[in-house]
Amino acid sequence: MAQADTAIWRNWAGNVTARPARQATPAGVDELSAAVRDAAEDGLKVKAVGAGHSFTAAAATDGLLIRPQLLAGIHRIDVPNSPQGSGGTPMAGTVTVGAGTPLKRMNTALAREGLSLTNMGDIMEQTVSGAVSTGTHGTGRDSGSIAMQLRGLELVTADGSVLSCSAQGTEEERAVFAAARIGLGALGVLSSLTFAVEPVFLLTAREEPMTLDRVTAEFDALCAENEHFEFYWFPHTGNCNTKRNNRSAGPPAPVGRVSGWFEDELLSNGVFQAVNVLGRAVPAVVPAIARLSSRALSARTYTDIPYKVFTSPRRVRFVEMEYALPREALVDALRELKAMIDRSRLRISFPVEVRTAPADDIPLSTAFGRDSAYIAVHMYRGTPYRAYFTEAERIFTAHGGRPHWGKVHTRDAAYLSEVYPRFAEFTALRDRLDPDRVFGNDYLRRVLGD
Ligand SMILES: Cc1cc2nc3c(=O)[nH]c(=O)nc-3n(C[C@H](O)[C@H](O)[C@H](O)COP(=O)(O)OP(=O)(O)OC[C@H]3O[C@@H](n4cnc5c(N)ncnc54)[C@H](O)[C@@H]3O)c2cc1C
Protein backbone atom coordinates (compact mmCIF):
# COMPACT_ATOMS: atom_id res chain seq x y z
CA MET A 1 0.00 0.00 0.00
CA ALA A 2 2.86 2.43 0.75
CA GLN A 3 5.29 2.79 -2.12
CA ALA A 4 8.48 4.73 -2.57
CA ASP A 5 7.49 7.17 -5.25
CA THR A 6 9.51 10.10 -6.33
CA ALA A 7 6.76 11.51 -8.55
CA ILE A 8 6.20 15.22 -8.23
CA TRP A 9 2.88 16.23 -6.70
CA ARG A 10 1.24 19.36 -8.13
CA ASN A 11 -1.89 21.25 -7.02
CA TRP A 12 -4.84 22.14 -9.29
CA ALA A 13 -3.60 25.66 -9.98
CA GLY A 14 -0.06 24.48 -10.64
CA ASN A 15 1.48 27.05 -8.26
CA VAL A 16 2.56 24.45 -5.64
CA THR A 17 4.69 21.37 -6.22
CA ALA A 18 6.21 18.85 -3.82
CA ARG A 19 8.30 15.71 -4.04
CA PRO A 20 7.07 13.31 -1.36
CA ALA A 21 9.53 10.59 -0.26
CA ARG A 22 6.73 8.07 -0.47
CA GLN A 23 3.03 7.85 -1.07
CA ALA A 24 0.29 5.64 0.33
CA THR A 25 -3.31 4.99 -0.67
CA PRO A 26 -4.79 3.33 2.44
CA ALA A 27 -8.08 1.51 1.96
CA GLY A 28 -9.42 1.96 5.47
CA VAL A 29 -8.69 3.30 8.91
CA ASP A 30 -6.46 0.35 9.91
CA GLU A 31 -4.19 0.76 6.89
CA LEU A 32 -4.23 4.50 7.47
CA SER A 33 -3.08 4.27 11.07
CA ALA A 34 -0.40 1.70 10.10
CA ALA A 35 0.88 4.07 7.41
CA VAL A 36 1.03 6.98 9.89
CA ARG A 37 2.82 4.83 12.51
CA ASP A 38 5.34 3.45 10.01
CA ALA A 39 6.14 6.89 8.64
CA ALA A 40 6.57 8.35 12.13
CA GLU A 41 8.93 5.47 13.05
CA ASP A 42 10.94 6.16 9.89
CA GLY A 43 11.19 9.83 10.85
CA LEU A 44 8.99 10.97 7.95
CA LYS A 45 6.45 13.76 8.12
CA VAL A 46 2.90 12.83 7.07
CA LYS A 47 0.39 14.80 5.00
CA ALA A 48 -2.97 13.74 3.67
CA VAL A 49 -3.96 15.38 0.43
CA GLY A 50 -7.46 15.83 -0.94
CA ALA A 51 -8.12 16.88 -4.53
CA GLY A 52 -5.23 19.38 -4.51
CA HIS A 53 -7.57 22.34 -4.95
CA SER A 54 -5.84 24.54 -2.37
CA PHE A 55 -3.71 27.38 -3.67
CA THR A 56 -1.50 27.27 -0.58
CA ALA A 57 1.10 24.62 0.22
CA ALA A 58 -1.18 23.28 2.99
CA ALA A 59 -1.00 19.73 1.60
CA ALA A 60 2.64 19.74 0.47
CA THR A 61 5.16 17.36 2.02
CA ASP A 62 8.56 15.82 1.41
CA GLY A 63 7.57 12.92 3.68
CA LEU A 64 4.65 10.51 3.29
CA LEU A 65 1.80 11.76 1.12
CA ILE A 66 -1.48 10.01 1.87
CA ARG A 67 -3.77 9.84 -1.15
CA PRO A 68 -7.55 9.92 -0.64
CA GLN A 69 -8.90 7.63 -3.38
CA LEU A 70 -9.50 4.48 -1.32
CA LEU A 71 -10.72 6.29 1.80
CA ALA A 72 -13.83 7.20 -0.16
CA GLY A 73 -17.42 6.02 -0.05
CA ILE A 74 -20.75 6.43 1.69
CA HIS A 75 -20.62 4.51 5.00
CA ARG A 76 -24.03 5.25 6.43
CA ILE A 77 -27.06 7.46 5.95
CA ASP A 78 -29.52 8.19 8.76
CA VAL A 79 -32.58 9.80 7.24
CA PRO A 80 -34.09 12.80 8.96
CA ASN A 81 -37.13 12.30 11.21
CA SER A 82 -40.46 13.54 9.92
CA PRO A 83 -41.59 16.99 10.95
CA GLN A 84 -43.40 17.12 14.27
CA GLY A 85 -46.91 18.00 13.12
CA SER A 86 -47.69 20.38 10.33
CA GLY A 87 -45.31 23.26 9.93
CA GLY A 88 -42.71 21.55 12.13
CA THR A 89 -39.06 21.73 11.13
CA PRO A 90 -37.68 18.38 9.97
CA MET A 91 -34.98 17.00 12.30
CA ALA A 92 -31.60 16.79 10.65
CA GLY A 93 -30.35 13.39 9.59
CA THR A 94 -26.72 12.50 9.03
CA VAL A 95 -24.44 10.99 6.42
CA THR A 96 -21.12 9.36 7.29
CA VAL A 97 -18.58 9.19 4.48
CA GLY A 98 -14.95 8.24 3.99
CA ALA A 99 -12.75 11.31 4.36
CA GLY A 100 -11.49 11.05 0.79
CA THR A 101 -14.97 11.12 -0.74
CA PRO A 102 -15.32 13.83 -3.36
CA LEU A 103 -18.09 16.31 -2.51
CA LYS A 104 -19.64 15.52 -5.88
CA ARG A 105 -20.01 11.84 -4.99
CA MET A 106 -21.54 12.71 -1.62
CA ASN A 107 -23.95 15.25 -3.14
CA THR A 108 -25.21 12.87 -5.82
CA ALA A 109 -25.57 9.98 -3.33
CA LEU A 110 -27.54 12.24 -0.99
CA ALA A 111 -29.77 13.47 -3.82
CA ARG A 112 -30.61 9.84 -4.71
CA GLU A 113 -31.82 9.42 -1.11
CA GLY A 114 -33.80 12.68 -1.24
CA LEU A 115 -31.29 14.48 1.01
CA SER A 116 -28.92 17.43 0.82
CA LEU A 117 -26.34 19.49 2.66
CA THR A 118 -27.70 22.90 3.65
CA ASN A 119 -24.99 25.04 2.07
CA MET A 120 -21.82 24.56 0.02
CA GLY A 121 -19.17 26.31 -2.07
CA ASP A 122 -19.16 26.94 -5.80
CA ILE A 123 -17.58 23.68 -6.99
CA MET A 124 -17.73 20.09 -5.77
CA GLU A 125 -14.46 18.61 -6.99
CA GLN A 126 -12.86 18.74 -3.52
CA THR A 127 -12.76 15.85 -1.08
CA VAL A 128 -14.88 16.26 2.03
CA SER A 129 -11.77 16.19 4.25
CA GLY A 130 -9.89 18.75 2.18
CA ALA A 131 -12.93 21.01 2.02
CA VAL A 132 -13.57 21.08 5.75
CA SER A 133 -9.88 21.26 6.73
CA THR A 134 -9.40 24.71 5.17
CA GLY A 135 -12.86 26.08 5.99
CA THR A 136 -14.41 25.87 2.53
CA HIS A 137 -17.61 27.92 2.43
CA GLY A 138 -20.27 29.21 0.10
CA THR A 139 -22.43 32.21 0.81
CA GLY A 140 -25.20 32.38 3.38
CA ARG A 141 -27.22 34.62 5.60
CA ASP A 142 -28.03 31.94 8.17
CA SER A 143 -26.00 28.88 7.15
CA GLY A 144 -22.23 28.67 7.38
CA SER A 145 -19.30 26.70 5.98
CA ILE A 146 -19.22 23.00 5.15
CA ALA A 147 -17.35 22.38 8.43
CA MET A 148 -20.26 23.93 10.33
CA GLN A 149 -22.41 21.08 9.01
CA LEU A 150 -20.14 18.43 10.59
CA ARG A 151 -21.62 16.32 13.38
CA GLY A 152 -18.77 13.89 13.94
CA LEU A 153 -15.31 12.95 12.77
CA GLU A 154 -12.77 10.16 13.02
CA LEU A 155 -9.14 11.20 13.29
CA VAL A 156 -5.91 9.18 13.18
CA THR A 157 -3.43 10.93 15.43
CA ALA A 158 0.37 10.99 15.42
CA ASP A 159 0.83 7.69 17.29
CA GLY A 160 -1.61 5.93 14.96
CA SER A 161 -4.49 5.85 17.43
CA VAL A 162 -8.03 6.53 16.22
CA LEU A 163 -10.21 9.18 17.89
CA SER A 164 -13.95 9.32 17.22
CA CYS A 165 -15.23 12.74 18.18
CA SER A 166 -18.44 14.69 18.24
CA ALA A 167 -20.05 17.42 20.28
CA GLN A 168 -21.51 14.71 22.54
CA GLY A 169 -18.43 12.80 23.75
CA THR A 170 -16.03 13.21 26.68
CA GLU A 171 -14.54 16.61 27.39
CA GLU A 172 -11.42 15.73 25.36
CA GLU A 173 -13.50 14.38 22.44
CA ARG A 174 -15.62 17.52 22.44
CA ALA A 175 -12.51 19.70 22.43
CA VAL A 176 -10.95 17.75 19.56
CA PHE A 177 -14.20 17.86 17.59
CA ALA A 178 -14.59 21.61 18.10
CA ALA A 179 -11.12 22.35 16.75
CA ALA A 180 -10.60 19.57 14.19
CA ARG A 181 -13.62 20.65 12.15
CA ILE A 182 -11.22 23.15 10.57
CA GLY A 183 -7.92 21.50 11.49
CA LEU A 184 -5.61 22.45 8.57
CA GLY A 185 -4.39 18.85 8.60
CA ALA A 186 -2.42 19.78 11.72
CA LEU A 187 -4.11 17.53 14.29
CA GLY A 188 -4.14 14.21 12.43
CA VAL A 189 -5.51 12.49 9.36
CA LEU A 190 -9.29 12.42 9.06
CA SER A 191 -10.58 8.98 8.13
CA SER A 192 -14.33 9.58 8.11
CA LEU A 193 -16.72 12.47 8.55
CA THR A 194 -20.38 12.74 9.57
CA PHE A 195 -22.44 15.63 8.23
CA ALA A 196 -25.92 16.89 9.08
CA VAL A 197 -28.27 16.51 6.12
CA GLU A 198 -31.83 17.62 5.51
CA PRO A 199 -34.58 16.58 3.12
CA VAL A 200 -33.65 17.79 -0.33
CA PHE A 201 -35.19 21.16 -1.17
CA LEU A 202 -35.46 23.47 -4.14
CA LEU A 203 -33.58 26.72 -4.55
CA THR A 204 -34.54 29.43 -6.97
CA ALA A 205 -31.50 31.25 -8.31
CA ARG A 206 -31.83 34.72 -9.73
CA GLU A 207 -28.80 35.98 -11.58
CA GLU A 208 -28.89 39.63 -12.54
CA PRO A 209 -26.39 42.22 -13.74
CA MET A 210 -26.27 45.28 -11.46
CA THR A 211 -24.04 48.32 -11.15
CA LEU A 212 -21.37 48.32 -8.47
CA ASP A 213 -22.86 51.52 -7.06
CA ARG A 214 -26.22 49.85 -6.59
CA VAL A 215 -24.80 46.64 -5.10
CA THR A 216 -22.71 48.54 -2.58
CA ALA A 217 -25.58 50.89 -1.70
CA GLU A 218 -27.97 47.96 -1.20
CA PHE A 219 -25.52 45.35 0.10
CA ASP A 220 -27.00 45.12 3.60
CA ALA A 221 -30.55 44.80 2.25
CA LEU A 222 -29.54 42.25 -0.40
CA CYS A 223 -27.83 40.14 2.29
CA ALA A 224 -30.76 40.47 4.69
CA GLU A 225 -33.46 39.69 2.13
CA ASN A 226 -31.84 36.63 0.58
CA GLU A 227 -30.76 33.31 2.05
CA HIS A 228 -27.68 33.25 -0.20
CA PHE A 229 -26.44 36.42 -1.87
CA GLU A 230 -23.18 36.86 -3.77
CA PHE A 231 -21.81 39.06 -6.49
CA TYR A 232 -18.92 39.39 -8.90
CA TRP A 233 -17.49 42.79 -9.69
CA PHE A 234 -15.53 43.21 -12.92
CA PRO A 235 -12.42 45.40 -12.29
CA HIS A 236 -12.02 48.33 -14.74
CA THR A 237 -15.82 48.58 -14.91
CA GLY A 238 -18.69 49.64 -12.69
CA ASN A 239 -20.52 46.39 -13.48
CA CYS A 240 -21.40 43.35 -11.38
CA ASN A 241 -23.22 40.09 -11.78
CA THR A 242 -25.32 39.24 -8.75
CA LYS A 243 -26.75 35.87 -7.70
CA ARG A 244 -29.36 35.26 -5.05
CA ASN A 245 -30.59 31.81 -4.07
CA ASN A 246 -33.70 31.29 -1.99
CA ARG A 247 -35.68 28.22 -1.01
CA SER A 248 -38.70 27.71 -3.16
CA ALA A 249 -41.84 25.62 -3.21
CA GLY A 250 -41.14 24.82 -6.85
CA PRO A 251 -41.88 23.60 -9.38
CA PRO A 252 -38.35 22.74 -10.55
CA ALA A 253 -37.26 24.81 -13.55
CA PRO A 254 -33.67 23.76 -14.27
CA VAL A 255 -31.41 25.68 -16.62
CA GLY A 256 -32.20 24.48 -20.14
CA ARG A 257 -29.61 22.26 -21.80
CA VAL A 258 -28.87 24.72 -24.58
CA SER A 259 -28.88 27.92 -22.52
CA GLY A 260 -26.94 26.10 -19.78
CA TRP A 261 -24.32 25.04 -22.28
CA PHE A 262 -24.20 28.56 -23.73
CA GLU A 263 -23.91 30.44 -20.40
CA ASP A 264 -22.10 27.94 -18.16
CA GLU A 265 -19.82 26.24 -20.66
CA LEU A 266 -19.32 28.55 -23.61
CA LEU A 267 -19.42 31.99 -21.95
CA SER A 268 -18.27 31.16 -18.41
CA ASN A 269 -15.58 28.68 -19.45
CA GLY A 270 -14.85 28.56 -23.20
CA VAL A 271 -15.02 32.24 -24.14
CA PHE A 272 -13.74 33.26 -20.70
CA GLN A 273 -10.68 31.04 -21.23
CA ALA A 274 -10.04 32.65 -24.61
CA VAL A 275 -10.34 36.22 -23.30
CA ASN A 276 -8.00 35.40 -20.43
CA VAL A 277 -5.41 34.01 -22.83
CA LEU A 278 -5.74 37.19 -24.86
CA GLY A 279 -5.52 39.40 -21.76
CA ARG A 280 -2.42 37.57 -20.56
CA ALA A 281 -0.73 38.12 -23.93
CA VAL A 282 -1.91 41.74 -24.38
CA PRO A 283 -2.70 43.27 -20.96
CA ALA A 284 -3.67 46.62 -22.52
CA VAL A 285 -6.88 45.07 -23.91
CA VAL A 286 -8.06 43.82 -20.50
CA PRO A 287 -10.25 46.84 -19.56
CA ALA A 288 -12.09 46.65 -22.90
CA ILE A 289 -12.54 42.90 -22.49
CA ALA A 290 -13.80 43.42 -18.94
CA ARG A 291 -16.44 45.81 -20.17
CA LEU A 292 -17.60 43.23 -22.72
CA SER A 293 -17.40 40.24 -20.32
CA SER A 294 -19.33 42.07 -17.65
CA ARG A 295 -22.24 42.50 -20.07
CA ALA A 296 -22.09 39.03 -21.63
CA LEU A 297 -24.20 37.22 -19.06
CA SER A 298 -27.85 38.19 -19.00
CA ALA A 299 -30.40 37.92 -16.21
CA ARG A 300 -31.83 34.45 -15.66
CA THR A 301 -33.87 32.57 -13.08
CA TYR A 302 -33.91 28.82 -12.49
CA THR A 303 -35.04 26.42 -9.79
CA ASP A 304 -33.25 23.18 -8.94
CA ILE A 305 -31.90 21.02 -6.11
CA PRO A 306 -29.16 22.66 -4.02
CA TYR A 307 -25.92 21.30 -5.46
CA LYS A 308 -27.07 22.12 -9.00
CA VAL A 309 -27.70 25.71 -7.97
CA PHE A 310 -24.72 26.31 -5.68
CA THR A 311 -22.03 24.71 -7.84
CA SER A 312 -20.92 25.07 -11.43
CA PRO A 313 -17.97 23.87 -13.52
CA ARG A 314 -14.79 25.96 -13.19
CA ARG A 315 -12.51 24.91 -16.01
CA VAL A 316 -10.49 28.11 -16.43
CA ARG A 317 -7.47 27.73 -14.12
CA PHE A 318 -6.50 30.60 -11.85
CA VAL A 319 -4.82 31.49 -8.57
CA GLU A 320 -6.86 33.09 -5.82
CA MET A 321 -6.60 35.01 -2.57
CA GLU A 322 -9.66 35.37 -0.36
CA TYR A 323 -10.10 37.19 2.94
CA ALA A 324 -12.95 37.21 5.42
CA LEU A 325 -13.65 40.70 6.76
CA PRO A 326 -16.08 41.85 9.41
CA ARG A 327 -19.24 42.22 7.32
CA GLU A 328 -19.59 45.91 7.99
CA ALA A 329 -16.11 46.53 6.47
CA LEU A 330 -16.96 45.04 3.06
CA VAL A 331 -18.15 48.12 1.20
CA ASP A 332 -15.20 50.27 2.34
CA ALA A 333 -12.72 47.53 1.49
CA LEU A 334 -14.22 47.04 -1.96
CA ARG A 335 -14.09 50.78 -2.67
CA GLU A 336 -10.45 50.83 -1.57
CA LEU A 337 -9.72 47.85 -3.83
CA LYS A 338 -11.36 49.60 -6.78
CA ALA A 339 -9.45 52.83 -6.11
CA MET A 340 -6.19 50.88 -5.87
CA ILE A 341 -6.80 49.12 -9.19
CA ASP A 342 -7.90 52.34 -10.90
CA ARG A 343 -4.74 54.22 -9.95
CA SER A 344 -2.41 51.29 -10.69
CA ARG A 345 -1.12 49.79 -13.91
CA LEU A 346 -2.70 46.45 -12.98
CA ARG A 347 -4.86 44.77 -15.60
CA ILE A 348 -7.31 42.33 -14.01
CA SER A 349 -9.33 40.05 -16.26
CA PHE A 350 -10.96 38.01 -13.46
CA PRO A 351 -13.95 39.29 -11.50
CA VAL A 352 -13.72 39.95 -7.76
CA GLU A 353 -16.09 37.67 -5.84
CA VAL A 354 -18.03 38.69 -2.70
CA ARG A 355 -19.88 36.26 -0.41
CA THR A 356 -21.05 36.23 3.21
CA ALA A 357 -21.26 33.90 6.23
CA PRO A 358 -22.86 34.20 9.66
CA ALA A 359 -20.64 34.18 12.76
CA ASP A 360 -19.69 30.65 13.86
CA ASP A 361 -17.89 28.92 16.74
CA ILE A 362 -15.03 26.99 15.11
CA PRO A 363 -11.71 28.26 16.53
CA LEU A 364 -9.92 28.55 13.16
CA SER A 365 -12.96 29.44 11.08
CA THR A 366 -12.58 32.64 9.10
CA ALA A 367 -16.09 33.49 10.36
CA PHE A 368 -15.32 32.76 14.02
CA GLY A 369 -17.30 35.09 16.26
CA ARG A 370 -18.26 37.63 13.65
CA ASP A 371 -20.66 38.00 10.72
CA SER A 372 -18.31 37.97 7.76
CA ALA A 373 -18.04 39.04 4.16
CA TYR A 374 -15.55 37.29 1.90
CA ILE A 375 -13.73 39.15 -0.82
CA ALA A 376 -11.75 37.12 -3.33
CA VAL A 377 -9.28 38.25 -5.97
CA HIS A 378 -8.17 35.97 -8.81
CA MET A 379 -5.59 35.97 -11.58
CA TYR A 380 -5.58 33.77 -14.63
CA ARG A 381 -2.96 31.03 -14.28
CA GLY A 382 0.40 32.07 -15.68
CA THR A 383 -0.26 35.81 -15.22
CA PRO A 384 1.92 37.54 -12.61
CA TYR A 385 -0.29 37.93 -9.54
CA ARG A 386 1.94 39.06 -6.70
CA ALA A 387 1.68 42.83 -7.23
CA TYR A 388 -2.15 42.65 -7.27
CA PHE A 389 -2.42 40.26 -4.34
CA THR A 390 0.09 42.23 -2.24
CA GLU A 391 -1.89 45.44 -2.64
CA ALA A 392 -5.21 43.66 -2.08
CA GLU A 393 -3.85 41.93 1.02
CA ARG A 394 -2.71 45.29 2.44
CA ILE A 395 -6.32 46.50 2.20
CA PHE A 396 -7.83 43.31 3.63
CA THR A 397 -5.45 43.10 6.59
CA ALA A 398 -6.05 46.77 7.45
CA HIS A 399 -9.66 45.70 8.09
CA GLY A 400 -8.63 42.81 10.36
CA GLY A 401 -9.13 40.28 7.56
CA ARG A 402 -8.62 36.56 8.00
CA PRO A 403 -7.19 34.71 4.98
CA HIS A 404 -8.80 31.56 3.61
CA TRP A 405 -6.45 28.76 4.72
CA GLY A 406 -6.49 27.19 1.27
CA LYS A 407 -5.90 30.34 -0.79
CA VAL A 408 -2.79 32.42 -1.43
CA HIS A 409 -1.78 34.68 1.48
CA THR A 410 1.37 35.76 3.27
CA ARG A 411 0.18 35.89 6.91
CA ASP A 412 2.12 34.23 9.72
CA ALA A 413 1.34 33.06 13.25
CA ALA A 414 2.06 36.48 14.76
CA TYR A 415 -0.70 38.07 12.65
CA LEU A 416 -3.10 35.14 12.81
CA SER A 417 -2.92 34.91 16.59
CA GLU A 418 -4.16 38.52 16.69
CA VAL A 419 -7.20 37.95 14.46
CA TYR A 420 -8.23 34.56 15.89
CA PRO A 421 -9.29 34.90 19.56
CA ARG A 422 -8.98 31.12 20.14
CA PHE A 423 -5.71 30.63 18.24
CA ALA A 424 -3.77 29.63 21.40
CA GLU A 425 -6.39 27.03 22.25
CA PHE A 426 -5.87 25.41 18.85
CA THR A 427 -2.08 25.38 19.13
CA ALA A 428 -2.30 23.97 22.67
CA LEU A 429 -4.45 21.11 21.37
CA ARG A 430 -1.94 20.55 18.59
CA ASP A 431 0.87 20.40 21.16
CA ARG A 432 -1.05 17.64 22.96
CA LEU A 433 -2.01 15.64 19.85
CA ASP A 434 1.12 16.10 17.76
CA PRO A 435 4.02 17.17 20.00
CA ASP A 436 6.63 15.91 17.48
CA ARG A 437 4.93 17.61 14.52
CA VAL A 438 4.46 14.41 12.54
CA PHE A 439 1.84 16.34 10.54
CA GLY A 440 4.00 19.45 10.18
CA ASN A 441 5.10 21.11 6.95
CA ASP A 442 6.43 24.51 5.91
CA TYR A 443 2.95 25.98 5.59
CA LEU A 444 1.91 24.97 9.11
CA ARG A 445 5.25 26.22 10.50
CA ARG A 446 4.45 29.63 9.06
CA VAL A 447 0.78 29.89 10.03
CA LEU A 448 0.87 28.09 13.40
CA GLY A 449 4.30 29.20 14.57
CA ASP A 450 6.36 25.97 14.57
C1 LIG B 1 -11.82 26.02 -8.79
C2 LIG B 1 -11.83 26.16 -7.29
C3 LIG B 1 -12.99 26.60 -6.67
C4 LIG B 1 -13.02 26.74 -5.27
N1 LIG B 1 -14.17 27.19 -4.69
C5 LIG B 1 -14.19 27.41 -3.36
C6 LIG B 1 -15.37 27.90 -2.71
O1 LIG B 1 -16.41 28.09 -3.33
N2 LIG B 1 -15.29 28.17 -1.38
C7 LIG B 1 -14.15 27.97 -0.65
O2 LIG B 1 -14.14 28.26 0.54
N3 LIG B 1 -13.05 27.47 -1.22
C8 LIG B 1 -13.05 27.17 -2.55
N4 LIG B 1 -11.92 26.66 -3.12
C9 LIG B 1 -10.81 26.26 -2.25
C10 LIG B 1 -10.94 24.78 -1.85
O3 LIG B 1 -12.26 24.46 -1.50
C11 LIG B 1 -10.05 24.47 -0.63
O4 LIG B 1 -8.74 24.83 -0.88
C12 LIG B 1 -10.13 22.99 -0.22
O5 LIG B 1 -9.33 22.80 0.92
C13 LIG B 1 -9.66 22.05 -1.33
O6 LIG B 1 -10.03 20.72 -0.99
P1 LIG B 1 -9.15 19.50 -1.52
O7 LIG B 1 -9.94 18.25 -1.34
O8 LIG B 1 -8.63 19.78 -2.86
O9 LIG B 1 -7.98 19.50 -0.45
P2 LIG B 1 -6.39 19.82 -0.60
O10 LIG B 1 -6.23 21.15 -1.21
O11 LIG B 1 -5.77 18.64 -1.27
O12 LIG B 1 -5.99 19.86 0.93
C14 LIG B 1 -6.41 20.93 1.74
C15 LIG B 1 -5.96 20.69 3.18
O13 LIG B 1 -6.70 19.61 3.73
C16 LIG B 1 -5.82 18.68 4.30
N5 LIG B 1 -6.40 17.35 4.18
C17 LIG B 1 -6.85 16.74 3.06
N6 LIG B 1 -7.31 15.51 3.38
C18 LIG B 1 -7.14 15.36 4.72
C19 LIG B 1 -7.42 14.31 5.64
N7 LIG B 1 -7.94 13.14 5.25
N8 LIG B 1 -7.12 14.52 6.94
C20 LIG B 1 -6.58 15.68 7.36
N9 LIG B 1 -6.28 16.69 6.53
C21 LIG B 1 -6.57 16.53 5.23
C22 LIG B 1 -4.53 18.83 3.49
O14 LIG B 1 -3.40 18.32 4.17
C23 LIG B 1 -4.49 20.32 3.34
O15 LIG B 1 -4.00 20.90 4.52
C24 LIG B 1 -11.86 26.46 -4.50
C25 LIG B 1 -10.69 26.02 -5.13
C26 LIG B 1 -10.67 25.87 -6.51
C27 LIG B 1 -9.42 25.40 -7.19
Side-chain angles (χ1 to χ4, degrees):
M1 171 239 349
Q3 323 100 17
D5 186 342
T6 52
I8 289 183
W9 173 82
R10 191 172 259 106
N11 68 341
W12 177 88
N15 64 324
V16 179
T17 53
R19 191 185 283 277
R22 65 183 193 230
Q23 304 195 23
T25 313
V29 67
D30 294 340
E31 285 186 20
L32 174 60
S33 62
V36 170
R37 251 195 325 267
D38 290 351
E41 275 168 25
D42 294 345
L44 289 178
K45 302 286 183 198
V46 176
K47 231 23 8 214
V49 68
H53 274 51
S54 292
F55 302 90
T56 58
T61 186
D62 57 7
L64 170 68
L65 188 72
I66 294 179
R67 298 270 186 183
Q69 284 80 357
L70 301 183
L71 282 174
I74 312 296
H75 295 340
R76 183 190 164 113
I77 292 180
D78 287 326
V79 294
N81 295 334
S82 316
Q84 305 284 313
S86 68
T89 312
M91 299 288 293
T94 56
V95 61
T96 300
V97 295
T101 308
L103 279 167
K104 185 177 192 166
R105 182 164 165 195
M106 182 169 83
N107 283 338
T108 50
L110 287 174
R112 274 197 301 275
E113 301 291 328
L115 300 169
S116 177
L117 288 179
T118 299
N119 197 359
M120 62 194 79
D122 57 22
I123 60 160
M124 49 181 182
E125 310 309 310
Q126 311 94 319
T127 59
V128 291
S129 52
V132 299
S133 295
T134 64
T136 296
H137 62 90
T139 191
R141 179 187 61 200
D142 316 306
S143 55
S145 67
I146 301 179
M148 272 303 284
Q149 297 166 70
L150 273 174
R151 292 296 173 269
L153 55 86
E154 190 179 75
L155 186 73
V156 173
T157 53
D159 62 2
S161 53
V162 181
L163 294 180
S164 284
C165 309
S166 72
Q168 271 76 48
T170 62
E171 198 180 333
E172 175 70 355
E173 286 163 1
R174 291 200 305 272
V176 174
F177 176 71
R181 286 175 292 172
I182 299 181
L184 317 183
L187 304 177
V189 181
L190 296 161
S191 45
S192 74
L193 295 171
T194 299
F195 293 92
V197 292
E198 58 174 310
V200 73
F201 52 96
L202 290 171
L203 282 173
T204 294
R206 187 165 142 214
E207 296 175 6
E208 188 187 343
M210 224 180 251
T211 63
L212 180 63
D213 285 345
R214 181 170 161 209
V215 180
T216 49
E218 297 178 13
F219 182 64
D220 286 342
L222 287 163
C223 294
E225 287 162 9
N226 293 287
E227 289 170 73
H228 309 273
F229 176 71
E230 65 189 317
F231 68 93
Y232 299 84
W233 164 60
F234 290 78
H236 313 294
T237 81
N239 303 332
C240 298
N241 281 333
T242 62
K243 183 176 181 188
R244 54 192 104 173
N245 305 326
N246 288 290
R247 288 186 191 225
S248 127
V255 175
R257 278 176 90 102
V258 174
S259 67
W261 174 82
F262 183 73
E263 301 241 330
D264 301 325
E265 280 299 336
L266 187 68
L267 291 183
S268 300
N269 284 298
V271 174
F272 192 52
Q273 166 85 12
V275 300
N276 274 288
V277 169
L278 178 62
R280 186 173 61 186
V282 192
V285 302
V286 165
I289 290 175
R291 284 190 289 277
L292 283 176
S293 309
S294 66
R295 295 208 180 89
L297 294 171
S298 46
R300 62 175 179 170
T301 300
Y302 49 94
T303 300
D304 214 329
I305 60 171
Y307 80 81
K308 295 189 180 178
V309 170
F310 286 127
T311 69
S312 53
R314 297 278 157 108
R315 298 192 215 291
V316 181
R317 305 243 169 172
F318 54 84
V319 285
E320 178 177 352
M321 164 185 282
E322 183 179 54
Y323 266 74
L325 309 182
R327 244 225 13 227
E328 57 279 10
L330 185 272
V331 170
D332 283 347
L334 194 57
R335 289 201 180 111
E336 291 162 26
L337 186 70
K338 182 173 188 312
M340 181 276 287
I341 293 172
D342 287 348
R343 66 170 183 267
S344 76
R345 298 165 67 88
L346 296 167
R347 295 291 175 263
I348 316 298
S349 59
F350 246 87
V352 171
E353 183 179 18
V354 174
R355 298 182 278 186
T356 67
D360 70 37
D361 66 352
I362 305 179
L364 291 191
S365 166
T366 46
F368 177 83
R370 67 189 194 195
D371 290 341
S372 301
Y374 294 88
I375 180 164
V377 294
H378 311 69
M379 267 308 215
Y380 181 50
R381 188 166 76 160
T383 314
Y385 62 84
R386 288 200 194 283
Y388 177 34
F389 284 14
T390 301
E391 289 303 316
E393 192 171 37
R394 215 190 300 281
I395 293 166
F396 303 155
T397 53
H399 289 283
R402 298 171 180 159
H404 189 302
W405 298 104
K407 301 187 183 179
V408 174
H409 71 92
T410 66
R411 299 300 85 192
D412 61 13
Y415 176 90
L416 295 162
S417 61
E418 291 289 315
V419 294
Y420 282 99
R422 286 170 66 185
F423 190 84
E425 217 175 288
F426 185 91
T427 53
L429 178 65
R430 183 186 185 216
D431 289 343
R432 284 211 305 281
L433 291 180
D434 187 16
D436 300 326
R437 304 296 188 247
V438 169
F439 303 111
N441 65 2
D442 290 346
Y443 180 73
L444 290 182
R445 207 166 300 119
R446 168 158 71 88
V447 299
L448 295 180
D450 72 77

